[in-house]
């Protein structure tokens, strides 16, 4: 379909420095497409938190962004350890991140709550030992 | 407050985007936890932090911030400076500590940001 823009990114799990490049790229494109700054900010923060999670918790993964006429969908998929208790992971302040991650400025347990706050829909599919798929939708 | 006034109040030195120092900012926040910064919303345009890595710049980019102040004389790498320069973010360093730097700016009229409830 001509009115759907699809973007695909590989998110490197070994390079903390480059984490967030995909989100920054999406942000730039949405800006060029003329989206409202508040929509852009919500999409990019939610995707950035998700990208960081894939890097610090799951050894990287892939990100797919689809821009539809009425919504923006972000799908983040990894083959990491999975999330045993999603409700617990969603609570503010819950984090299994080690101190090494905290010393980098993350691991406050605010990522998933932020992703929920900034999106209209958040779905998490996760299987322990297999991986995690996070789908987020922002209506435009 | 203009960004160049922040520089003056803190005895700081701007290292990137020197053409943008006359931009006006109305609020700031101070944190070493980027997830906490991302949990804020609205137009806090200045981030004071003692954390120095590329994710500080990315966090500022996501939040549409205009200026990062590294406190306690932390020296950003060239990679960090390049990322900020490319994205129109002023980086400055000051030898002040976090508490003092925030207090100086606050008492000169630069407010904190609203917390998104
Ligand atoms: N992609 C993922 N793979 C495995 N575990 C995850 C993933 N994303 C989040 N988690 C788990 O959920 C917890 C909470 O995530 P989040 O709210 O982003 O906080 P933080 O990343 O600061 O720990 C993490 O500490 C981790 O245990
Ligand atoms: Mg997180």
């Amino acid at each position: 379909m001509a009115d759907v823009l699809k973007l695909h990114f590989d998110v490197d799990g070994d390079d903390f420095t480059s984490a967030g490049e995909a989100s920054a790229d999406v942000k730039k494109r949405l800006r060029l497409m003329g989206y409202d700054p508040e929509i852009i900010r919500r999409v990019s923060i939610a995707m950035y938190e998700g990208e960081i999670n894939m890097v610090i918790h799951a050894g990287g993964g892939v990100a797919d962004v689809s821009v539809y006429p009425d919504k923006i969908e972000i799908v983040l998929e990894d083959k990491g350890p999975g999330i045993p208790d999603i409700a617990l992971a969603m609570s503010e302040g819950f984090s299994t991140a080690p101190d090494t991650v905290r010393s980098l400025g993350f691991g406050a347990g605010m990522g998933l709550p932020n992703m929920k706050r900034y999106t209209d829909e958040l779905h998490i599919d996760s299987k322990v030992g297999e991986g995690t798929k996070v789908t987020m939708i922002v209506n435009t | 407050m203009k960004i160049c006034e922040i520089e003056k109040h803190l005895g700081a030195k701007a290292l990137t985007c020197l053409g943008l120092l006359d931009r006006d900012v109305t609020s700031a926040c101070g944190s070493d936890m980027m997830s906490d910064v991302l949990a804020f919303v609205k137009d806090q345009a200045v981030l004071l932090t003692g954390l120095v890595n590329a994710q500080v710049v990315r966090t500022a980019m996501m939040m549409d911030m205009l200026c990062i102040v590294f406190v306690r004389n932390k020296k950003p790498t060239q990679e960090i400076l390049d990322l900020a320069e490319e994205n129109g973010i002023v980086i400055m360093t000051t030898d002040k500590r976090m508490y003092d730097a925030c207090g100086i700016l606050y008492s000169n009229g630069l407010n904190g940001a609203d917390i998104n409830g």
Side-chain angles (χ1 to χ4, degrees):
Chain A
M1 257 172 26
D3 52 359
V4 180
L5 172 68
K6 288 194 180 285
L7 304 165
H8 176 84
F9 303 91
D10 291 313
V11 178
D12 186 349
D14 300 320
D15 185 6
F16 179 76
T17 297
S18 68
E21 275 178 1
S23 308
D25 189 87
V26 167
K27 179 161 189 147
K28 267 176 209 152
R29 284 170 195 260
L30 293 178
R31 208 181 263 153
L32 288 175
M33 292 168 79
Y35 276 96
D36 174 60
E38 201 47 44
I39 295 273
I40 297 175
R41 175 142 60 163
R42 287 169 57 207
V43 168
S44 51
I45 293 172
M47 181 172 169
Y48 179 54
E49 288 280 15
E51 217 186 320
I52 293 281
N53 276 356
M54 288 203 297
V55 173
I56 65 182
H57 301 298
V62 293
D64 287 280
V65 177
S66 307
V67 181
Y68 296 100
D70 59 338
K71 66 182 179 188
I72 297 166
E73 182 191 68
I74 306 150
V75 180
L76 304 164
E77 228 175 332
D78 66 63
K79 294 189 165 56
I83 305 175
D85 185 339
I86 292 174
L88 181 63
M90 286 300 304
S91 53
E92 288 199 2
F94 176 84
S95 177
T96 60
D99 284 345
T100 48
V101 166
R102 246 180 291 280
S103 70
L104 296 170
F106 289 87
M110 292 300 293
L112 290 173
N114 277 349
M115 288 154 73
K116 185 166 178 64
R117 181 177 305 146
Y118 290 125
T119 57
D120 292 301
E121 286 179 45
L122 167 70
H123 304 287
I124 302 175
D125 279 315
S126 190
K127 224 171 177 173
V128 172
E130 286 181 24
T132 300
K133 180 178 176 180
V134 175
T135 306
M136 294 182 280
I137 291 173
V138 172
N139 297 323
T140 56
Chain B
M1 184 183 292
K2 286 191 191 306
I3 293 178
C4 58
E5 295 174 78
I6 294 176
E7 193 184 12
K8 204 181 71 200
H9 287 309
L10 298 180
K13 187 169 167 32
L15 303 172
T16 60
C17 297
L18 302 182
L20 302 178
L21 297 182
D22 61 349
R23 288 171 89 172
D24 237 316
V25 294
T26 54
S27 63
C29 67
S31 180
D32 290 349
M33 288 305 283
M34 294 304 109
S35 273
D36 283 350
V37 175
L38 293 162
F40 287 94
V41 159
K42 290 214 171 9
D43 49 4
Q44 77 271 58
V46 183
L47 170 62
L48 294 96
T49 185
L51 180 74
V52 184
N53 63 44
Q55 298 311 333
V56 176
V57 180
R58 289 233 169 72
T59 297
M61 287 162 61
M62 299 305 156
M63 301 302 287
D64 300 317
M65 289 172 150
L66 303 177
C67 176
I68 298 168
V69 180
F70 289 120
V71 298
R72 270 181 281 118
N73 244 334
K74 300 274 174 95
K75 293 280 178 279
T77 61
Q78 192 57 45
E79 190 178 24
I80 293 172
L81 295 174
D82 290 346
L83 188 61
E85 185 73 49
E86 273 166 38
N87 289 283
I89 295 172
V90 176
I91 283 185
M92 59 178 83
T93 56
T94 174
D95 56 8
K96 302 266 185 310
R97 295 172 186 202
M98 178 75 110
Y99 184 78
D100 297 334
C102 293
I104 290 167
L105 296 183
Y106 197 95
S107 62
N108 278 284
L110 191 62
N111 294 324
D114 292 338
I115 295 171
N116 179 38

